Amino acid sequence: MEADLRNLDVTGHKVIVRVDFNVPLDASFRVTDDTRIRGAIPTIKYLVDKGARVILLSHFERPLKSLLPNGEIDRVKFTLNHVVPSLSGLLGKKVDFFPDTIGDEVMRKVESLQNGDVLLLENTRFYAGEEKGDHDFAKQLAALGEFYVNDAFGAAHRAHASTSVIAENFDKKHKAFGFLMKSELDNAKQVLENPKRPFIAILGGAKVSDKILLIESLLDKADKIIIGGGMAYTFIRAQGGHTGKSLVEEDKLDLAIDLLKKAGKLGKTIELPSDSIAADRFAADAQFKNVPSHEIPDGWMGLDIGLTARFEYAAHLKGAGTILWNGPMGVFEMESFSHGTKAIAQAVADVTKTGTFSLIGGGDSVAAIHQSGLADSVSFISTGGGAMLELLEGKTLPGVAAILS
Ligand code: 3PG
Ligand code: MG
């Protein structure tokens, strides 16, 4: 296989591994969802077992966009040191941390590594050159090791110094995809290039405008698209429905009609929720009732798919060969409006048991699957939100292209 980590002769050598440890933390800086760290463990373990000297690079949040009042970086809040306990625990081995990313001291630290050691360097985004994709900064990062492995799928859509530009300093014998990256790409490929049919896409989230390219790409590839979440109401209004105070993107009504027409021409269907849970306010303790989605009363807003829609959507999923799910069916962070998303999560898990291949991509639907306790009941959960979205839209990810070129 091209760019296969197993083809690199890494024993005794310094290997830079770009991971995506941009993970959620609680108020005491403890990791609350370690999925991305877990995802990187097979690559790190493999390198440790091979006797490589592992140098981990990652970004964490956007520190340069949240500077302290004195204009300095908040090194307490944004240090990657926060992930070390979780990482060491999952790896079953002490990981060393160094509070900088480039420079002489870092180089000395790197030179002191023994075979099988793992060192995590500080947040790459403490340097402006990271997000700018600066070639000099990338070169300084590249000087840390003899090999470059990209396992940061979650950041593969960023053309940043450590995710993409750095790779120009390594020839094909010295760079590769990590195992997480490889598995993300293989799973997306299975859905996009060789789906078992019927292929049903479930799309949710607040806005149509975020999903236009995805819908267009899926109209070509999927057999049916099921819509939920706030974006449904732009379609319903476009069809002449009464949507009350529901979120509607007025400037996307024509686009919604075009997408429905395009689907018709291609002989595909875009399913909209026949009913909705409408609320009198956008609040967790709002009053709510189940109403037809085309007849949402004045002053009320659709915040979840309704009881009939859940039943109908679950029926559509039965017998699917492939399911791709991106985006929640309602405001699932509010208990009252989480049940549509949970019902779909359950339906996806149920059909997966009967042989359907199910890929869950996109941050919120992934969170919903975890909350429902069904993470082990679907075929593949992506660690990338934006990255998976762009991949499914048919884009080439800079982090991927850089390894292959
Ligand atoms: C993410 O969490 O989306 C990735 O880690 C990329 O981070 P970014 O959106 O801040 O570039
Ligand atoms: Mg992000």
Side-chain angles (χ1 to χ4, degrees):
M1 209 254 343
E2 210 182 0
D4 192 336
L5 172 54
R6 291 176 205 276
N7 294 340
L8 304 186
D9 180 15
V10 295
T11 304
H13 294 295
K14 288 169 290 179
V15 181
I16 303 164
V17 185
R18 179 47 158 104
V19 288
D20 186 350
F21 288 167
N22 189 22
V23 292
L25 305 181
D26 65 16
S28 0
F29 302 122
R30 272 186 303 248
V31 175
T32 55
D33 178 354
D34 62 6
T35 311
R36 283 180 169 176
I37 304 177
R38 260 174 214 284
I41 296 296
T43 294
I44 303 171
K45 263 210 171 108
Y46 170 85
L47 291 168
V48 167
D49 290 347
K50 284 276 167 192
R53 306 167 182 207
V54 183
I55 300 145
L56 300 175
L57 293 178
S58 179
H59 73 287
F60 176 66
E61 297 203 359
R62 297 174 180 179
L64 298 183
K65 297 215 166 70
S66 312
L67 295 173
L68 292 167
N70 66 6
E72 283 181 14
I73 291 172
D74 189 341
R75 289 175 187 271
V76 175
K77 185 165 175 196
F78 295 116
T79 178
L80 257 183
N81 202 4
H82 297 315
V83 309
V84 170
S86 175
L87 172 60
S88 296
L90 288 167
L91 191 60
K93 178 184 173 67
K94 193 183 163 296
V95 172
D96 210 357
F97 175 77
F98 195 81
D100 203 349
T101 324
I102 52 166
D104 292 345
E105 278 185 69
V106 178
M107 293 305 267
R108 271 197 293 281
K109 180 75 194 174
V110 162
E111 286 314 320
S112 76
L113 293 176
Q114 305 295 309
N115 293 0
D117 282 354
V118 180
L119 171 69
L120 175 65
L121 296 179
E122 186 55 284
N123 192 344
T124 51
R125 288 191 183 169
F126 283 1
Y127 287 87
E130 167 70 338
E131 289 174 78
K132 288 195 187 117
D134 181 79
H135 289 262
D136 287 332
F137 179 61
K139 206 169 187 162
Q140 292 184 74
L141 292 173
L144 297 166
E146 300 142 86
F147 292 87
Y148 172 71
V149 173
N150 192 348
D151 214 16
F153 178 73
H157 58 318
R158 305 291 180 217
H160 294 172
S162 72
T163 59
S164 162
V165 184
I166 183 174
E168 31 176 74
N169 297 285
F170 300 87
D171 65 23
K172 287 200 169 183
K173 287 204 170 96
H174 294 85
K175 61 183 169 186
F177 295 125
F179 298 134
L180 174 63
M181 180 77 116
K182 168 89 170 63
S183 141
E184 295 268 8
L185 297 175
D186 286 350
N187 279 286
K189 201 167 164 180
Q190 155 139 16
V191 165
L192 292 177
E193 290 178 17
N194 195 20
K196 237 188 1 167
R197 297 199 179 266
F199 170 15
I200 301 182
I202 311 165
L203 301 184
K207 293 183 178 163
V208 185
S209 49
D210 293 336
K211 302 284 162 82
I212 298 170
L213 294 174
L214 181 59
I215 296 174
E216 281 176 345
S217 151
L218 289 174
L219 276 177
D220 284 333
K221 301 194 151 72
D223 299 298
K224 186 177 284 182
I225 300 180
I226 289 175
I227 306 258
M231 65 191 278
Y233 302 101
T234 298
F235 284 97
I236 289 165
R237 172 78 68 84
Q239 290 178 327
H242 195 107
T243 51
K245 264 196 317 189
S246 305
L247 179 70
V248 168
E249 288 177 273
E250 298 289 346
D251 61 333
K252 294 290 177 292
L253 296 177
D254 290 343
L255 173 92
I257 290 292
D258 286 348
L259 290 171
L260 292 167
K261 277 194 192 140
K262 191 172 170 206
K265 269 195 206 122
L266 293 166
K268 317 234 165 138
T269 45
I270 294 183
E271 301 287 343
L272 298 167
S274 52
D275 58 351
S276 293
I277 306 295
D280 63 347
R281 296 174 295 135
F282 187 83
D285 60 350
Q287 283 198 60
F288 57 86
K289 55 186 176 187
N290 201 100
V291 297
S293 299
H294 281 75
E295 295 166 31
I296 296 184
D298 286 337
W300 292 66
M301 58 183 90
L303 294 187
D304 197 4
I305 58 171
L307 301 173
T308 306
R310 288 171 211 174
F311 180 79
E312 289 171 347
Y313 283 4
H316 284 305
L317 298 179
K318 284 214 180 87
T322 304
I323 294 174
L324 163 70
W325 181 13
N326 176 289
M329 298 289 100
V331 187
F332 85 101
E333 53 279 23
M334 298 180 189
E335 218 293 305
S336 301
F337 312 111
S338 67
H339 302 289
T341 302
K342 285 183 186 152
I344 294 304
Q346 188 62 56
V348 173
D350 289 345
V351 297
T352 305
K353 247 180 252 147
T354 68
T356 302
F357 178 82
S358 53
L359 186 148
I360 320 297
D364 289 337
S365 26
V366 171
I369 281 280
H370 281 291
Q371 270 185 29
S372 308
L374 295 169
D376 294 331
S377 308
V378 295
S379 310
F380 187 75
I381 298 184
S382 177
T383 57
M388 186 46 91
L389 186 64
E390 291 195 20
L391 197 57
L392 296 172
E393 287 170 352
K395 290 188 187 144
T396 302
L397 306 183
V400 173
I403 293 292
L404 295 175
S405 65

